[in-house]
Structure formats: structure tokens, C-alpha cells
Amino acid sequence: MSDGKRLVSRPMSRRGLIRAGALGASGLILSGCDRLNKNAGFRDLLQSAEGLHMRSQRLPGGDALAREFLESDMSPTFRANGNREVADSAYRRHLESGFSHWALKVDGLVERPLSLPLGALQALPQREQITRHDCVEGWSAIGKWQGPQLSRILDMAGLSARARFIVFHCADRFGTTPYYESIDLVDAFHPQTILAWRMNGQTLPEAFGAPLRLRVERQLGYKHAKYVMRIEARETLDGLYGGKGGYWEDRSDYAWYAGI
Ligand SMILES: Nc1nc2c(c(=O)[nH]1)N[C@H]1C(S)=C(S)[C@@H](COP(=O)(O)O)O[C@H]1N2
Ligand SMILES: [Mo]
């Protein structure tokens, strides 16, 4: 993607691809993950209109990295969006104590459920990346993010062969409904997918998702879950809240696959 690229709205880009006939419905090869390819539900998704867009990033070469920028490209201010505060009382106590007694839960379809204190996440090998965040509402900002790769944490937990989706359960709510998000295993194991606890060289502030937020760099802003408390590996998104895999997906036309 080039610097001057305007944010393309999802439906337009999908329709554009369909109209242009740029992608055939068959014979396309998923890069990487054979396990996913053999899964009937995943194949159905790939046949759908949303899947058409997904395939464009899943073609050979489609596992490319999102563009990374230089320090000099960083936005002087990074907007905080969506929830900027968390009301939950347990969260507020953790915030006050610098999350020193907090731990990330990793459970669901894993061989070894984990409870990882912030110090353990900080002690893992770290990835730092300067990337552009694109919000569906039409603004972008370039920031620097640091944290362990999600793949490393999933490997520590040992994903079950049935796992297809990784769900991020967040501490904040809109009204009574918790924020949550989900991604597939291709994005989960992408090298730029990290759990960031540091932003622009500082411990992640509350407004930006303290203590931990997802960076999934080839996806639109709403996929980047803030205030991640628990990571759950699942076979299906059915039966989870509205069943569409994310807070906004459940209550708007925002696509589950929000690749940029
Ligand atoms: N838990 C949680 N995560 C969230 C949101 C939110 O309201 N709650 N908003 C999303 C949206 S729409 C965007 S654009 C980004 C904003 O991240 P920022 O506040 O760091 O800019 O977070 C995403 N992740
Ligand atoms: Mo957003």
C-alpha cells in the first residue's frame, strides 16, 4: 500500500474485485495453512463474497507483511477511539496497581490453559513495529507498537487441532455488551500479529488499551481489540454473543474479515 492510498471501504473493494472478475471462485490456493483448507466451514466462507476479499490476501504472496514505517513517519498524535476508559471495578483496581497482579488468560481449545502475568509477556521475545492504523470511520495514524507475537503464546498453550478462530475478550463494554473480536489462524500466526503492551515507547495508556491490545496489522481498526483479558481458541463463532465474531460485526455491516 502506498502512502497516498485513501482508505478503501470494505464493501466497495469487495464489489470492485467481484466486478473486475479479478479473482476466480475456484482453483485458488491458500497460502500456508492446509489445516484450514481442509475445513468445510472455512471453505464455504472462502466461497462467499466476504471470502472473495479474504482470498485476495490469502493468495500465494498474500501473506506479505503490512508496510512498516520509520520513526520520522510517526503521527504526532494518535487518536484514541471507541472506549477510552473501562468502568469494570476489577479492571480499575488492576490499573491502579500497574497490573502487577493481573494475568492474561488463554483457554478454550488449547492443550495447556495459561495464565500469563504482564511480566511474563514482557519477558518473551518482543517484536516492535511502526505501522499505520486505519479506522473504518476514515482516519489513520502511524504508531509504534511492541509486544510478544501472538503465535508464540498460542504455541505455548498448544492449539488443539479443532481450533479455527482466536477470540479476544475485552474488559470494556458498550452498555451491557462486552467488546470482543476474533481472527482466523492465518492472521493469528502472522508475524506482525502481536499483543502490544507498549506504544510509542511508553507503557500502553488506558485510552489505547492497557494493559494489552491486539495489533493485527493487515486488518481495519475495529479488529485491534484493546483491554484484552482473555484469549479463547474456538472451533466456531456460533453461540458467541451475536455469532458474527465481533462487537461491531454483531451490530453493523462491518465485515468480520476486514483486511486492508
Ligand atoms: N476493547 C475495545 N477495543 C477496541 C475498540 C473498543 O471500543 N473497545 N475500538 C476499536 C476501534 S473502532 C478502533 S479504530 C481502535 C482504536 O484504537 P485506539 O484507541 O488505540 O486508536 O480500537 C478498536 N478496538
Ligand atoms: Mo475504528
Side-chain angles (χ1 to χ4, degrees), residues 81-82 133-137 139 220-222 248 254:
N81 204 40
H133 180 100
D134 291 327
C135 174
V136 73
E137 293 164 18
W139 58 272
L220 287 172
Y222 57 88
W248 286 114
Y254 288 10

PDB file of all heavy atoms in Angstrom, residues 81-82 133-137 139 220-222 248 254, ligand 2:
ATOM      1  N   ASN A  81      -9.840   5.855  20.119  1.00  0.00           N
ATOM      2  CA  ASN A  81     -11.184   5.728  19.551  1.00  0.00           C
ATOM      3  C   ASN A  81     -11.962   4.612  20.243  1.00  0.00           C
ATOM      4  O   ASN A  81     -11.384   3.728  20.854  1.00  0.00           O
ATOM      5  CB  ASN A  81     -11.078   5.424  18.052  1.00  0.00           C
ATOM      6  CG  ASN A  81     -12.322   5.835  17.302  1.00  0.00           C
ATOM      7  OD1 ASN A  81     -12.883   6.889  17.582  1.00  0.00           O
ATOM      8  ND2 ASN A  81     -12.746   5.024  16.367  1.00  0.00           N
ATOM      9  N   GLY A  82     -13.287   4.652  20.088  1.00  0.00           N
ATOM     10  CA  GLY A  82     -14.121   3.663  20.773  1.00  0.00           C
ATOM     11  C   GLY A  82     -14.038   3.940  22.267  1.00  0.00           C
ATOM     12  O   GLY A  82     -13.934   5.097  22.699  1.00  0.00           O
ATOM     13  N   HIS A 133      -2.461   2.573  11.465  1.00  0.00           N
ATOM     14  CA  HIS A 133      -3.780   2.113  11.920  1.00  0.00           C
ATOM     15  C   HIS A 133      -4.824   2.814  11.063  1.00  0.00           C
ATOM     16  O   HIS A 133      -4.841   4.034  10.961  1.00  0.00           O
ATOM     17  CB  HIS A 133      -3.932   2.515  13.394  1.00  0.00           C
ATOM     18  CG  HIS A 133      -5.228   2.122  14.013  1.00  0.00           C
ATOM     19  ND1 HIS A 133      -5.366   1.017  14.801  1.00  0.00           N
ATOM     20  CD2 HIS A 133      -6.454   2.703  13.968  1.00  0.00           C
ATOM     21  CE1 HIS A 133      -6.620   0.922  15.219  1.00  0.00           C
ATOM     22  NE2 HIS A 133      -7.302   1.937  14.729  1.00  0.00           N
ATOM     23  N   ASP A 134      -5.693   2.037  10.430  1.00  0.00           N
ATOM     24  CA  ASP A 134      -6.755   2.598   9.594  1.00  0.00           C
ATOM     25  C   ASP A 134      -8.105   2.295  10.219  1.00  0.00           C
ATOM     26  O   ASP A 134      -8.518   1.132  10.264  1.00  0.00           O
ATOM     27  CB  ASP A 134      -6.712   1.972   8.185  1.00  0.00           C
ATOM     28  CG  ASP A 134      -5.491   2.394   7.389  1.00  0.00           C
ATOM     29  OD1 ASP A 134      -5.031   3.536   7.564  1.00  0.00           O
ATOM     30  OD2 ASP A 134      -4.990   1.571   6.603  1.00  0.00           O
ATOM     31  N   CYS A 135      -8.781   3.326  10.680  1.00  0.00           N
ATOM     32  CA  CYS A 135     -10.119   3.137  11.244  1.00  0.00           C
ATOM     33  C   CYS A 135     -11.140   3.219  10.120  1.00  0.00           C
ATOM     34  O   CYS A 135     -11.011   4.033   9.209  1.00  0.00           O
ATOM     35  CB  CYS A 135     -10.421   4.196  12.296  1.00  0.00           C
ATOM     36  SG  CYS A 135     -12.125   4.118  12.897  1.00  0.00           S
ATOM     37  N   VAL A 136     -12.163   2.391  10.210  1.00  0.00           N
ATOM     38  CA  VAL A 136     -13.218   2.341   9.201  1.00  0.00           C
ATOM     39  C   VAL A 136     -13.942   3.694   9.110  1.00  0.00           C
ATOM     40  O   VAL A 136     -14.552   4.020   8.106  1.00  0.00           O
ATOM     41  CB  VAL A 136     -14.190   1.181   9.521  1.00  0.00           C
ATOM     42  CG1 VAL A 136     -15.070   1.493  10.711  1.00  0.00           C
ATOM     43  CG2 VAL A 136     -15.021   0.782   8.322  1.00  0.00           C
ATOM     44  N   GLU A 137     -13.855   4.485  10.176  1.00  0.00           N
ATOM     45  CA  GLU A 137     -14.512   5.794  10.163  1.00  0.00           C
ATOM     46  C   GLU A 137     -13.759   6.804   9.307  1.00  0.00           C
ATOM     47  O   GLU A 137     -14.223   7.921   9.118  1.00  0.00           O
ATOM     48  CB  GLU A 137     -14.648   6.336  11.594  1.00  0.00           C
ATOM     49  CG  GLU A 137     -15.596   5.512  12.448  1.00  0.00           C
ATOM     50  CD  GLU A 137     -15.435   5.792  13.948  1.00  0.00           C
ATOM     51  OE1 GLU A 137     -14.851   6.827  14.313  1.00  0.00           O
ATOM     52  OE2 GLU A 137     -15.891   4.957  14.737  1.00  0.00           O
ATOM     53  N   TRP A 139     -10.142   7.685   9.498  1.00  0.00           N
ATOM     54  CA  TRP A 139      -8.893   8.329   9.913  1.00  0.00           C
ATOM     55  C   TRP A 139      -7.803   7.278  10.050  1.00  0.00           C
ATOM     56  O   TRP A 139      -8.085   6.090  10.221  1.00  0.00           O
ATOM     57  CB  TRP A 139      -9.059   9.086  11.244  1.00  0.00           C
ATOM     58  CG  TRP A 139      -9.522   8.231  12.377  1.00  0.00           C
ATOM     59  CD1 TRP A 139     -10.816   7.961  12.713  1.00  0.00           C
ATOM     60  CD2 TRP A 139      -8.707   7.493  13.306  1.00  0.00           C
ATOM     61  NE1 TRP A 139     -10.858   7.107  13.793  1.00  0.00           N
ATOM     62  CE2 TRP A 139      -9.586   6.814  14.179  1.00  0.00           C
ATOM     63  CE3 TRP A 139      -7.325   7.355  13.485  1.00  0.00           C
ATOM     64  CZ2 TRP A 139      -9.119   6.001  15.217  1.00  0.00           C
ATOM     65  CZ3 TRP A 139      -6.865   6.550  14.516  1.00  0.00           C
ATOM     66  CH2 TRP A 139      -7.755   5.878  15.372  1.00  0.00           C
ATOM     67  N   LEU A 220      -8.537  -3.702   9.562  1.00  0.00           N
ATOM     68  CA  LEU A 220      -9.036  -2.399   9.981  1.00  0.00           C
ATOM     69  C   LEU A 220      -9.059  -2.275  11.506  1.00  0.00           C
ATOM     70  O   LEU A 220      -9.028  -3.278  12.224  1.00  0.00           O
ATOM     71  CB  LEU A 220     -10.441  -2.172   9.422  1.00  0.00           C
ATOM     72  CG  LEU A 220     -10.521  -1.888   7.917  1.00  0.00           C
ATOM     73  CD1 LEU A 220     -11.989  -1.881   7.461  1.00  0.00           C
ATOM     74  CD2 LEU A 220      -9.849  -0.565   7.560  1.00  0.00           C
ATOM     75  N   GLY A 221      -9.184  -1.022  11.949  1.00  0.00           N
ATOM     76  CA  GLY A 221      -9.042  -0.682  13.365  1.00  0.00           C
ATOM     77  C   GLY A 221      -9.888  -1.472  14.340  1.00  0.00           C
ATOM     78  O   GLY A 221      -9.413  -1.828  15.418  1.00  0.00           O
ATOM     79  N   TYR A 222     -11.145  -1.736  13.990  1.00  0.00           N
ATOM     80  CA  TYR A 222     -12.012  -2.366  14.995  1.00  0.00           C
ATOM     81  C   TYR A 222     -11.592  -3.785  15.340  1.00  0.00           C
ATOM     82  O   TYR A 222     -12.022  -4.328  16.364  1.00  0.00           O
ATOM     83  CB  TYR A 222     -13.494  -2.317  14.591  1.00  0.00           C
ATOM     84  CG  TYR A 222     -13.850  -2.945  13.263  1.00  0.00           C
ATOM     85  CD1 TYR A 222     -14.162  -4.302  13.169  1.00  0.00           C
ATOM     86  CD2 TYR A 222     -13.903  -2.183  12.101  1.00  0.00           C
ATOM     87  CE1 TYR A 222     -14.514  -4.876  11.955  1.00  0.00           C
ATOM     88  CE2 TYR A 222     -14.243  -2.743  10.879  1.00  0.00           C
ATOM     89  CZ  TYR A 222     -14.548  -4.087  10.808  1.00  0.00           C
ATOM     90  OH  TYR A 222     -14.881  -4.652   9.605  1.00  0.00           O
ATOM     91  N   TRP A 248     -18.678  -5.142  16.748  1.00  0.00           N
ATOM     92  CA  TRP A 248     -19.243  -4.337  15.654  1.00  0.00           C
ATOM     93  C   TRP A 248     -19.848  -5.208  14.567  1.00  0.00           C
ATOM     94  O   TRP A 248     -20.858  -4.858  13.959  1.00  0.00           O
ATOM     95  CB  TRP A 248     -18.169  -3.400  15.057  1.00  0.00           C
ATOM     96  CG  TRP A 248     -17.871  -2.258  15.976  1.00  0.00           C
ATOM     97  CD1 TRP A 248     -16.709  -1.994  16.628  1.00  0.00           C
ATOM     98  CD2 TRP A 248     -18.783  -1.214  16.371  1.00  0.00           C
ATOM     99  NE1 TRP A 248     -16.829  -0.871  17.415  1.00  0.00           N
ATOM    100  CE2 TRP A 248     -18.087  -0.377  17.273  1.00  0.00           C
ATOM    101  CE3 TRP A 248     -20.119  -0.924  16.070  1.00  0.00           C
ATOM    102  CZ2 TRP A 248     -18.680   0.749  17.860  1.00  0.00           C
ATOM    103  CZ3 TRP A 248     -20.711   0.190  16.660  1.00  0.00           C
ATOM    104  CH2 TRP A 248     -19.995   1.012  17.541  1.00  0.00           C
ATOM    105  N   TYR A 254     -20.263  -4.030   9.438  1.00  0.00           N
ATOM    106  CA  TYR A 254     -18.809  -4.209   9.409  1.00  0.00           C
ATOM    107  C   TYR A 254     -18.488  -5.684   9.156  1.00  0.00           C
ATOM    108  O   TYR A 254     -19.024  -6.566   9.820  1.00  0.00           O
ATOM    109  CB  TYR A 254     -18.168  -3.804  10.743  1.00  0.00           C
ATOM    110  CG  TYR A 254     -18.145  -2.327  11.034  1.00  0.00           C
ATOM    111  CD1 TYR A 254     -18.851  -1.402  10.263  1.00  0.00           C
ATOM    112  CD2 TYR A 254     -17.389  -1.845  12.094  1.00  0.00           C
ATOM    113  CE1 TYR A 254     -18.810  -0.045  10.555  1.00  0.00           C
ATOM    114  CE2 TYR A 254     -17.344  -0.489  12.397  1.00  0.00           C
ATOM    115  CZ  TYR A 254     -18.056   0.395  11.622  1.00  0.00           C
ATOM    116  OH  TYR A 254     -18.014   1.725  11.925  1.00  0.00           O
TER     117      TYR A 254
HETATM  118 MO    MO B   2     -12.325   2.140  14.264  1.00  0.00          MO
END
